[in-house]
Amino acid sequence: MRRRLPALATVSVLLVAGAAAFAQAEAERRLDAALTRLRAALGPGVELTIGARRVDPVTGRITLTDVTISEGTDRYTTPELQLADLSDTRIGRAEAVRLRHTATDGSGSRGEAARVLVAGLTLPEPGKPFDWTQLAAEALELEALRAEAPGQGRIRLDRLSVREARREGIASGALEGVEFAGGGPQEPSFSLGRVALDALVLPLSGDSFDPLAFRAGHVTVERFALRDPDKQVTMSLGRLALRDWLPGRATSLLLEDARVA
């Protein structure tokens, strides 16, 4: 029995190493297939470049470094993009850190987000581009966005999170800490503390919106302020809460500290 132990240990090591190599090869194959579809879906005018790639043979998690997407004069870069639950037709999870946008046309437009997450994104069929009007995802998250376009304005957003996003609506979502300032002293500006949405249905037919078919389980807007110096208008809202805007239910609407001047 003692003579067999080293042989059994060697076989076990070889089996584990073989399984890891197979898992890594399969993860590499899925990554290649997904990148091929992704490049085709982005369109002929968009270039995707990757500095390096690393596949974890145990978890299958993929790390791409120095990723750049270029389209015309727009350039988007991230030092690290992590992918998980990847298949030939779907990206289960994609998370980018320090995503930056710069314009190379001399306009000075730029932006940066500390973190961007997309989960459950279906890739188009081979050779077909993304239909941006029909994109759907299980989750979207955006943190610490700062963007500026000289002459047009600048915007700050602390956090955005959405669950089950479709063109027709979302299951739930939250928007926090938004500030926008126009490009000049007479341009409009606004700020928004928080928006929370639940069971939101946007009845769209083509490009038209039917307001009578709008549905919402819950909508909350807090600390909204708008200033338009050109039209000499200021407006503020402490809180608005709409609940059960659904057929057959009693709707409630709460409005606090609303002012218009």
Side-chain angles (χ1 to χ4, degrees), residues 32-51:
D32 289 335
L35 289 177
T36 298
R37 278 202 178 190
L38 183 59
R39 283 190 169 97
L42 290 174
V46 182
E47 182 181 359
L48 171 64
T49 59
I50 300 169

PDB file of all heavy atoms in Angstrom, residues 32-51:
ATOM      1  N   ASP A  32     -12.154  34.410 -26.762  1.00  0.00           N
ATOM      2  CA  ASP A  32     -11.899  34.713 -28.169  1.00  0.00           C
ATOM      3  C   ASP A  32     -13.212  34.849 -28.943  1.00  0.00           C
ATOM      4  O   ASP A  32     -13.366  35.758 -29.771  1.00  0.00           O
ATOM      5  CB  ASP A  32     -11.035  33.618 -28.797  1.00  0.00           C
ATOM      6  CG  ASP A  32      -9.599  33.649 -28.287  1.00  0.00           C
ATOM      7  OD1 ASP A  32      -9.158  34.735 -27.854  1.00  0.00           O
ATOM      8  OD2 ASP A  32      -8.929  32.597 -28.320  1.00  0.00           O
ATOM      9  N   ALA A  33     -14.162  33.936 -28.675  1.00  0.00           N
ATOM     10  CA  ALA A  33     -15.447  33.987 -29.374  1.00  0.00           C
ATOM     11  C   ALA A  33     -16.215  35.243 -29.008  1.00  0.00           C
ATOM     12  O   ALA A  33     -16.810  35.905 -29.869  1.00  0.00           O
ATOM     13  CB  ALA A  33     -16.266  32.738 -29.038  1.00  0.00           C
ATOM     14  N   ALA A  34     -16.206  35.602 -27.713  1.00  0.00           N
ATOM     15  CA  ALA A  34     -16.931  36.798 -27.274  1.00  0.00           C
ATOM     16  C   ALA A  34     -16.298  38.062 -27.849  1.00  0.00           C
ATOM     17  O   ALA A  34     -17.007  38.983 -28.268  1.00  0.00           O
ATOM     18  CB  ALA A  34     -16.960  36.857 -25.750  1.00  0.00           C
ATOM     19  N   LEU A  35     -14.967  38.132 -27.869  1.00  0.00           N
ATOM     20  CA  LEU A  35     -14.295  39.317 -28.410  1.00  0.00           C
ATOM     21  C   LEU A  35     -14.547  39.459 -29.916  1.00  0.00           C
ATOM     22  O   LEU A  35     -14.697  40.578 -30.418  1.00  0.00           O
ATOM     23  CB  LEU A  35     -12.799  39.240 -28.133  1.00  0.00           C
ATOM     24  CG  LEU A  35     -12.373  39.431 -26.672  1.00  0.00           C
ATOM     25  CD1 LEU A  35     -10.874  39.265 -26.524  1.00  0.00           C
ATOM     26  CD2 LEU A  35     -12.815  40.792 -26.149  1.00  0.00           C
ATOM     27  N   THR A  36     -14.613  38.334 -30.614  1.00  0.00           N
ATOM     28  CA  THR A  36     -14.903  38.389 -32.049  1.00  0.00           C
ATOM     29  C   THR A  36     -16.288  38.970 -32.288  1.00  0.00           C
ATOM     30  O   THR A  36     -16.485  39.831 -33.152  1.00  0.00           O
ATOM     31  CB  THR A  36     -14.806  36.988 -32.669  1.00  0.00           C
ATOM     32  OG1 THR A  36     -13.468  36.502 -32.509  1.00  0.00           O
ATOM     33  CG2 THR A  36     -15.151  37.017 -34.144  1.00  0.00           C
ATOM     34  N   ARG A  37     -17.276  38.499 -31.508  1.00  0.00           N
ATOM     35  CA  ARG A  37     -18.632  39.031 -31.648  1.00  0.00           C
ATOM     36  C   ARG A  37     -18.699  40.491 -31.227  1.00  0.00           C
ATOM     37  O   ARG A  37     -19.390  41.299 -31.852  1.00  0.00           O
ATOM     38  CB  ARG A  37     -19.599  38.213 -30.785  1.00  0.00           C
ATOM     39  CG  ARG A  37     -20.072  36.936 -31.428  1.00  0.00           C
ATOM     40  CD  ARG A  37     -21.359  36.494 -30.802  1.00  0.00           C
ATOM     41  NE  ARG A  37     -21.882  35.295 -31.408  1.00  0.00           N
ATOM     42  CZ  ARG A  37     -23.092  34.817 -31.168  1.00  0.00           C
ATOM     43  NH1 ARG A  37     -23.889  35.444 -30.341  1.00  0.00           N
ATOM     44  NH2 ARG A  37     -23.517  33.720 -31.752  1.00  0.00           N
ATOM     45  N   LEU A  38     -17.985  40.820 -30.155  1.00  0.00           N
ATOM     46  CA  LEU A  38     -18.027  42.185 -29.645  1.00  0.00           C
ATOM     47  C   LEU A  38     -17.441  43.165 -30.646  1.00  0.00           C
ATOM     48  O   LEU A  38     -17.999  44.238 -30.886  1.00  0.00           O
ATOM     49  CB  LEU A  38     -17.273  42.263 -28.323  1.00  0.00           C
ATOM     50  CG  LEU A  38     -17.278  43.608 -27.596  1.00  0.00           C
ATOM     51  CD1 LEU A  38     -18.703  44.046 -27.285  1.00  0.00           C
ATOM     52  CD2 LEU A  38     -16.453  43.539 -26.328  1.00  0.00           C
ATOM     53  N   ARG A  39     -16.317  42.825 -31.265  1.00  0.00           N
ATOM     54  CA  ARG A  39     -15.709  43.707 -32.257  1.00  0.00           C
ATOM     55  C   ARG A  39     -16.645  43.916 -33.447  1.00  0.00           C
ATOM     56  O   ARG A  39     -16.779  45.028 -33.961  1.00  0.00           O
ATOM     57  CB  ARG A  39     -14.374  43.125 -32.717  1.00  0.00           C
ATOM     58  CG  ARG A  39     -13.237  43.312 -31.718  1.00  0.00           C
ATOM     59  CD  ARG A  39     -11.898  42.944 -32.338  1.00  0.00           C
ATOM     60  NE  ARG A  39     -10.783  43.369 -31.495  1.00  0.00           N
ATOM     61  CZ  ARG A  39     -10.156  42.569 -30.637  1.00  0.00           C
ATOM     62  NH1 ARG A  39     -10.543  41.313 -30.508  1.00  0.00           N
ATOM     63  NH2 ARG A  39      -9.153  43.032 -29.891  1.00  0.00           N
ATOM     64  N   ALA A  40     -17.308  42.837 -33.876  1.00  0.00           N
ATOM     65  CA  ALA A  40     -18.247  42.968 -34.992  1.00  0.00           C
ATOM     66  C   ALA A  40     -19.459  43.799 -34.595  1.00  0.00           C
ATOM     67  O   ALA A  40     -19.966  44.598 -35.390  1.00  0.00           O
ATOM     68  CB  ALA A  40     -18.694  41.582 -35.466  1.00  0.00           C
ATOM     69  N   ALA A  41     -19.919  43.652 -33.334  1.00  0.00           N
ATOM     70  CA  ALA A  41     -21.110  44.374 -32.881  1.00  0.00           C
ATOM     71  C   ALA A  41     -20.838  45.865 -32.703  1.00  0.00           C
ATOM     72  O   ALA A  41     -21.747  46.684 -32.840  1.00  0.00           O
ATOM     73  CB  ALA A  41     -21.615  43.776 -31.569  1.00  0.00           C
ATOM     74  N   LEU A  42     -19.590  46.233 -32.397  1.00  0.00           N
ATOM     75  CA  LEU A  42     -19.263  47.644 -32.211  1.00  0.00           C
ATOM     76  C   LEU A  42     -19.262  48.415 -33.534  1.00  0.00           C
ATOM     77  O   LEU A  42     -19.370  49.640 -33.529  1.00  0.00           O
ATOM     78  CB  LEU A  42     -17.893  47.773 -31.538  1.00  0.00           C
ATOM     79  CG  LEU A  42     -17.836  47.341 -30.069  1.00  0.00           C
ATOM     80  CD1 LEU A  42     -16.401  47.389 -29.564  1.00  0.00           C
ATOM     81  CD2 LEU A  42     -18.742  48.206 -29.199  1.00  0.00           C
ATOM     82  N   GLY A  43     -19.140  47.711 -34.640  1.00  0.00           N
ATOM     83  CA  GLY A  43     -19.222  48.377 -35.935  1.00  0.00           C
ATOM     84  C   GLY A  43     -17.856  48.615 -36.555  1.00  0.00           C
ATOM     85  O   GLY A  43     -16.821  48.590 -35.871  1.00  0.00           O
ATOM     86  N   PRO A  44     -17.824  48.885 -37.862  1.00  0.00           N
ATOM     87  CA  PRO A  44     -16.544  49.040 -38.568  1.00  0.00           C
ATOM     88  C   PRO A  44     -15.769  50.281 -38.167  1.00  0.00           C
ATOM     89  O   PRO A  44     -14.558  50.341 -38.354  1.00  0.00           O
ATOM     90  CB  PRO A  44     -16.965  49.098 -40.042  1.00  0.00           C
ATOM     91  CG  PRO A  44     -18.383  49.596 -40.010  1.00  0.00           C
ATOM     92  CD  PRO A  44     -18.980  49.024 -38.765  1.00  0.00           C
ATOM     93  N   GLY A  45     -16.435  51.297 -37.624  1.00  0.00           N
ATOM     94  CA  GLY A  45     -15.731  52.528 -37.266  1.00  0.00           C
ATOM     95  C   GLY A  45     -15.188  52.540 -35.861  1.00  0.00           C
ATOM     96  O   GLY A  45     -14.650  53.553 -35.402  1.00  0.00           O
ATOM     97  N   VAL A  46     -15.317  51.414 -35.135  1.00  0.00           N
ATOM     98  CA  VAL A  46     -14.881  51.343 -33.740  1.00  0.00           C
ATOM     99  C   VAL A  46     -13.742  50.331 -33.620  1.00  0.00           C
ATOM    100  O   VAL A  46     -13.819  49.220 -34.151  1.00  0.00           O
ATOM    101  CB  VAL A  46     -16.045  50.930 -32.819  1.00  0.00           C
ATOM    102  CG1 VAL A  46     -15.590  50.919 -31.366  1.00  0.00           C
ATOM    103  CG2 VAL A  46     -17.222  51.875 -33.003  1.00  0.00           C
ATOM    104  N   GLU A  47     -12.682  50.723 -32.917  1.00  0.00           N
ATOM    105  CA  GLU A  47     -11.510  49.852 -32.743  1.00  0.00           C
ATOM    106  C   GLU A  47     -11.359  49.487 -31.273  1.00  0.00           C
ATOM    107  O   GLU A  47     -11.378  50.357 -30.389  1.00  0.00           O
ATOM    108  CB  GLU A  47     -10.251  50.550 -33.237  1.00  0.00           C
ATOM    109  CG  GLU A  47      -9.003  49.685 -33.131  1.00  0.00           C
ATOM    110  CD  GLU A  47      -7.758  50.393 -33.610  1.00  0.00           C
ATOM    111  OE1 GLU A  47      -7.892  51.565 -34.048  1.00  0.00           O
ATOM    112  OE2 GLU A  47      -6.669  49.799 -33.560  1.00  0.00           O
ATOM    113  N   LEU A  48     -11.226  48.186 -30.998  1.00  0.00           N
ATOM    114  CA  LEU A  48     -11.028  47.671 -29.644  1.00  0.00           C
ATOM    115  C   LEU A  48      -9.636  47.075 -29.549  1.00  0.00           C
ATOM    116  O   LEU A  48      -9.279  46.169 -30.304  1.00  0.00           O
ATOM    117  CB  LEU A  48     -12.075  46.603 -29.324  1.00  0.00           C
ATOM    118  CG  LEU A  48     -11.868  45.804 -28.025  1.00  0.00           C
ATOM    119  CD1 LEU A  48     -11.957  46.723 -26.803  1.00  0.00           C
ATOM    120  CD2 LEU A  48     -12.886  44.673 -27.925  1.00  0.00           C
ATOM    121  N   THR A  49      -8.821  47.595 -28.622  1.00  0.00           N
ATOM    122  CA  THR A  49      -7.475  47.065 -28.412  1.00  0.00           C
ATOM    123  C   THR A  49      -7.308  46.666 -26.954  1.00  0.00           C
ATOM    124  O   THR A  49      -7.879  47.299 -26.050  1.00  0.00           O
ATOM    125  CB  THR A  49      -6.392  48.096 -28.782  1.00  0.00           C
ATOM    126  OG1 THR A  49      -6.572  49.279 -27.974  1.00  0.00           O
ATOM    127  CG2 THR A  49      -6.500  48.477 -30.244  1.00  0.00           C
ATOM    128  N   ILE A  50      -6.520  45.615 -26.729  1.00  0.00           N
ATOM    129  CA  ILE A  50      -6.294  45.070 -25.391  1.00  0.00           C
ATOM    130  C   ILE A  50      -4.803  44.896 -25.184  1.00  0.00           C
ATOM    131  O   ILE A  50      -4.115  44.295 -26.024  1.00  0.00           O
ATOM    132  CB  ILE A  50      -7.015  43.718 -25.217  1.00  0.00           C
ATOM    133  CG1 ILE A  50      -8.523  43.893 -25.412  1.00  0.00           C
ATOM    134  CG2 ILE A  50      -6.710  43.110 -23.855  1.00  0.00           C
ATOM    135  CD1 ILE A  50      -9.271  42.593 -25.517  1.00  0.00           C
ATOM    136  N   GLY A  51      -4.302  45.431 -24.071  1.00  0.00           N
ATOM    137  CA  GLY A  51      -2.875  45.330 -23.799  1.00  0.00           C
ATOM    138  C   GLY A  51      -2.453  43.932 -23.412  1.00  0.00           C
ATOM    139  O   GLY A  51      -1.498  43.375 -23.964  1.00  0.00           O
TER     140      GLY A  51
END
